[in-house]
């Protein structure tokens, strides 16, 4: 029972960390605007290369890995993290993979 409480809580904390990291990376990437389009008076949109680079730079800075997808006005980041099971790991259970996903929209 203690293993479920300890390891379950740790997995939930890691899931929240993955979600927070994805949110922050998406917000960083959402700053990658297409400045040429804005200067030309067009509707603001994301520059896919700049947005991807900024999101990936954030992930690298915090030591996380993930995937970045950019469309005209949105950026989606999915982060994957591994969590070792401290108590249940002694019983042979393998680490748990958790995911966090966030989308930021340029409006």
């Amino acid at each position: 029972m203690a293993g479920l409480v300890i390891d379950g809580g740790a997995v939930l904390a890691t899931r929240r960390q993955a979600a927070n990291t994805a949110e922050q990376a998406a917000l960083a990437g959402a700053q990658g605007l297409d400045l040429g389009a804005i200067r030309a008076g067009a509707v603001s949109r994301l520059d896919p290369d700049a947005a991807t680079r900024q999101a990936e730079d954030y992930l690298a800075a915090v030591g996380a890995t993930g995937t970045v997808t950019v469309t005209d006005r949105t950026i989606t980041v999915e982060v994957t993290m591994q969590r070792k099971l401290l108590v249940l790991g002694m019983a042979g259970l393998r680490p748990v993979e958790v995911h966090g996903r966030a989308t930021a929209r340029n409006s």
Side-chain angles (χ1 to χ4, degrees), residues 61-96:
V62 298
T65 59
T67 59
V68 178
T69 306
V70 179
T71 63
D72 197 37
R73 297 185 63 144
T74 64
I75 179 168
T76 301
V77 179
E78 184 163 344
V79 173
T80 303
M81 294 182 170
Q82 295 280 328
R83 179 62 190 188
K84 287 185 179 179
L85 302 176
L86 301 174
V87 178
L88 297 175
M90 289 187 275
L93 272 74
R94 294 192 171 150
V96 175

